[in-house]
Amino acid sequence: MNRDELVTTALAVADAEGLPAVTIRRVAQLHGVTPMALYRHFPDKEGLLVALAERLLSGAVVPEPDERPWHEQLRDVLGNFLDALRPHPNAAMLVFNGMVTTEPGLAVTERALALMAQGGMSVERSADAASQILGSLVALAIAEPGRDLGPDPEANEDAVRAKRAALLALSPRRYPHIVAAADAMAACADQQLYFDRGVDLIVTGVRDAARAETADAR
């Protein structure tokens, strides 16, 4: 039993049952040891959750700088970040703290801030934008329409059908656009397109903010 194995187990629990199910006691039970054995690796539950955040963020590959425009490079940074969160939506909220408490998080944050500065954004607005970007990416990861909510495929399909039926049951006179979009709102027809468009919207917003700030400074 080593630290990496324990973190892998904790992440599996979060994936299957949600973040509240991740405890020192639960992980210890799954390894057939007493909770005290885990305190050699983690000071407490919070330490275990920080390790989980670090594991998630370690999957966010930070590309090397290149000659492309700053916003295109930022798009790659954010896309890679989202790719790291997508397999683990139940644990995605952990990255809010992990961005400035783990080495992988700091690496992503530093690169994003550097690119926005390259685009002409001030330190203050870059910091604000970084927080807004993070919230948007986490929301994309956890709020994908129709995403699996548990290990039972039939239950997930039933949940999607129930959501679709509820939307279709709305008055088409009062909510014509919602009724028309019922299928798309109940489940993604194309997951990759959903995530790609989400990242594109974020980058477009940041680019427009940088342009506005540059124009105001003139």
Side-chain angles (χ1 to χ4, degrees):
M1 184 179 68
N2 59 47
R3 190 175 189 272
D4 285 344
E5 291 173 344
L6 296 171
V7 173
T8 297
T9 298
L11 187 56
V13 171
D15 289 343
E17 303 174 38
L19 205 52
V22 179
T23 64
I24 293 286
R25 181 176 298 276
R26 180 66 186 284
V27 174
Q29 288 174 341
L30 291 172
H31 281 269
V33 299
T34 66
M36 290 300 297
L38 268 69
Y39 290 116
R40 296 171 50 196
H41 303 280
F42 314 103
D44 49 27
K45 179 181 176 179
E46 185 61 28
L48 175 59
L49 295 180
V50 169
L52 271 181
E54 185 172 18
R55 171 67 66 83
L56 287 179
L57 290 165
S58 67
V61 178
V62 180
E64 291 295 324
D66 56 45
E67 299 303 316
R68 291 177 300 154
W70 69 272
H71 56 88
E72 292 183 12
Q73 296 183 62
L74 180 64
R75 202 259 178 244
D76 287 349
V77 172
L78 303 188
N80 288 355
F81 183 89
L82 184 58
D83 286 344
L85 296 189
R86 284 176 55 183
H88 310 287
N90 288 343
M93 296 290 288
L94 292 175
V95 301
F96 282 110
N97 291 330
M99 297 305 296
V100 292
T101 59
T102 69
E103 284 297 326
L106 288 167
V108 174
T109 303
E110 178 66 20
R111 182 66 182 284
L113 291 174
L115 287 168
M116 286 186 280
Q118 185 178 329
M121 296 182 74
S122 66
V123 171
E124 292 78 10
R125 292 196 180 181
S126 294
D128 288 343
S131 296
Q132 293 157 354
I133 289 169
L134 179 59
S136 297
L137 291 172
V138 171
L140 277 172
I142 68 178
E144 175 197 347
R147 76 171 178 87
D148 289 349
L149 300 176
D152 186 345
E154 290 188 8
N156 290 324
E157 291 175 5
D158 288 344
V160 170
R161 281 195 294 269
K163 182 176 182 179
R164 181 185 295 111
L167 294 173
L168 290 172
L170 293 171
S171 168
R173 290 185 299 276
R174 292 186 63 187
Y175 308 106
H177 295 92
I178 294 177
V179 172
D183 286 343
M185 294 179 71
C188 283
D190 187 328
Q191 286 185 326
Q192 190 59 52
L193 184 60
Y194 167 82
F195 290 112
D196 286 345
R197 283 178 173 171
V199 175
D200 288 341
L201 285 171
I202 294 170
V203 173
T204 298
V206 176
R207 187 183 185 188
D208 287 347
R211 285 173 171 169
E213 184 171 3
T214 302
D216 290 343
R218 291 173 181 170

